[in-house]
Each structure stands twice: as C-alpha cells, then as structure tokens.
Amino acid sequence: MVTYMKKDAVIFDIDGTLTNSTRAIIASWNRHLSSLDYPCVLLDEKLAGSLMGKTMDDWAMAVLPEVPLSVSRKITEVMEQKENEEIRTNGTDLYPYVRETFELLSKDYQLFILSNCGRGYIEAVMAYAEIEPFVKGHLCFGDNGLDKPDNLKKMIADYQLKNPVYVGDTKRDEECCEIAGVPFIFVSYGFGDVPDAQYRCDSLRDLADVISEMG
C-alpha cells in the first residue's frame, strides 16, 4: 500500500499564474527607455510576453542589446522601480480568484511566491491583490541573483518544507521543478504551454481540488 504525504506548502509563480502585468510593464518600461540616450528596443506585447518568467538579465539584454550588461543591469534596476510604482498606482491585470484562492488555501497550507522577477515586484502585486496576510514568504531573482531552480531549493531549505508543490504556467517552470524535485501544477491560462504536464489546472478556482487529489 502506497502512503502519500500531505502537501505542506504551495509555492506560486507570479507572471502568467497570478497576474498578467504586460500592460503595466510595457507602459512603465517604454516610458523610461524612451528617455535614455542608449539605443534600445521598445517593448510590445509579443516581446514582453516572450520574456515573462525569465531573469532580469534576459530582460536587460533584450531591450538594451547594444549596451554592456554591467550598464544595462543598472538601467533595468531603475525600470523595475518604475514598474513597481506603476502597479501600486494603476494596478495590474490579476487573473480571476487570486485573493479567494489564497484565503482558502492558507487554511491548510503554507503559501509562498517565487519568481525570476526583479526586486519589489512581488510585493507590489501582493499589495494590489490584497494577499499579503496569506503569504508566508517570497523570493525572486532580484533578491539574490539566483535562477528559479536554485531559489526553489533555497526556499524549501529556509522554511524546512517537507512536501511542497509549485504552481506555474511554463515549460521552464516544469523543468525547474524537476531539477528541484518538486511536483508541478500547470495552469493553462498563462503565457506558456505544458501539454504533457501530469497535473493541470484551468482556473485558480479549481486549484484546491487539484492539490487535494495529488495526495
């Protein structure tokens, strides 16, 4: 007889899982990029969408390809701040049932957010979504320069998690979970496609049932 250990934590990706911040990112980044004296590539929906979930270094190289990374990193740090201000002021496009899902799941699981985004972005989205009371911790590339698999391992170790699950929207998320040894739930409404995902959720409203069925 197989004994399953109950999940003790749910770790969420943010872009494509909790929110689509493309509108806020394009507005704030292009406003700042246009003011620079460096050659740059302005964001559109296609480019911004292709960069969602990637590290801030990837964003820097995409929008400032002719600028040394040591310089473009400093520029993107400013753009991250502008982006966070935009979200706090004008909001972001949350997916349905974000707050309701966090409130429900927090009764049975520890909840975390982990992403490859820049510093302060998670906090800005949490504030707009009003989910801070339900989130035990968060971590991102902007905090320490680590990619998602390493930060996933770090979060598990720091909080002594025994049986977490990760919720994300891309093939890269699934690969990161495989590296870290964490079960992955694919949300189908985001930016990516994971057709062979073992666990799938088409709406956050159904996430509690999917986790429960995992054992």
Side-chain angles (χ1 to χ4, degrees):
M1 180 177 182
V2 178
T3 301
Y4 294 96
M5 183 185 298
K6 183 181 183 296
K7 299 292 179 286
D8 63 343
V10 183
I11 306 172
F12 289 87
D13 174 46
I14 193 164
D15 288 314
T17 301
L18 302 181
T19 184
N20 180 349
S21 293
T22 304
R23 171 179 56 83
I25 291 170
I26 291 175
S28 60
W29 279 54
N30 283 353
R31 190 181 305 123
H32 186 66
L33 284 169
S34 298
S35 71
L36 300 175
D37 293 327
Y38 296 103
C40 65
V41 177
L42 295 180
L43 291 171
D44 56 21
E45 288 193 11
K46 182 178 180 180
L47 179 56
S50 71
L51 291 169
M52 290 296 187
K54 296 186 178 180
T55 69
M56 296 314 299
D57 282 357
D58 293 321
W59 284 77
M61 290 185 287
V63 299
L64 296 162
E66 299 179 36
V67 179
L69 187 57
S70 59
V71 176
S72 62
R73 277 175 175 161
K74 295 178 181 179
I75 295 172
T76 54
E77 285 177 3
V78 175
M79 289 193 286
E80 289 167 26
Q81 296 172 9
K82 300 293 185 183
E83 172 188 322
N84 297 337
E85 292 169 6
E86 178 78 18
I87 290 172
R88 288 182 180 275
T89 302
N90 297 316
T92 180
D93 298 323
L94 297 173
Y95 292 111
Y97 309 109
V98 170
R99 192 181 189 283
E100 298 92 328
T101 297
F102 271 69
E103 184 174 9
L104 175 64
L105 291 179
S106 67
K107 298 174 183 178
D108 296 308
Y109 311 98
Q110 300 175 82
L111 304 184
F112 301 88
I113 298 176
L114 187 147
S115 172
N116 270 335
C117 63
R119 186 191 300 271
Y121 176 73
I122 294 176
E123 294 93 323
V125 174
M126 286 197 305
Y128 180 72
E130 299 180 336
I131 58 174
E132 300 110 310
F134 312 117
V135 179
K136 184 166 184 179
H138 54 81
L139 190 60
C140 69
F141 175 85
D143 292 330
N144 56 21
L146 296 179
D147 201 357
K148 188 172 286 184
D150 292 323
N151 267 335
L152 189 50
K153 293 176 184 178
K154 176 175 170 55
M155 177 171 279
I156 292 168
D158 287 350
Y159 290 94
Q160 299 181 348
L161 305 180
K162 302 300 181 184
N163 196 22
V165 61
Y166 189 84
V167 183
D169 69 305
T170 66
K171 188 67 177 178
R172 176 58 178 160
D173 287 337
E174 183 185 51
E175 292 168 352
C176 291
C177 287
E178 291 175 355
I179 293 170
V182 176
F184 171 71
I185 297 176
F186 167 62
V187 292
S188 62
Y189 51 78
F191 294 110
D193 186 22
V194 189
D196 57 346
Q198 183 176 0
Y199 302 105
R200 176 190 178 101
C201 182
D202 297 323
S203 167
L204 284 174
R205 182 172 53 182
D206 304 324
L207 184 58
D209 290 337
V210 174
I211 297 172
S212 176
E213 291 169 1
M214 295 172 73

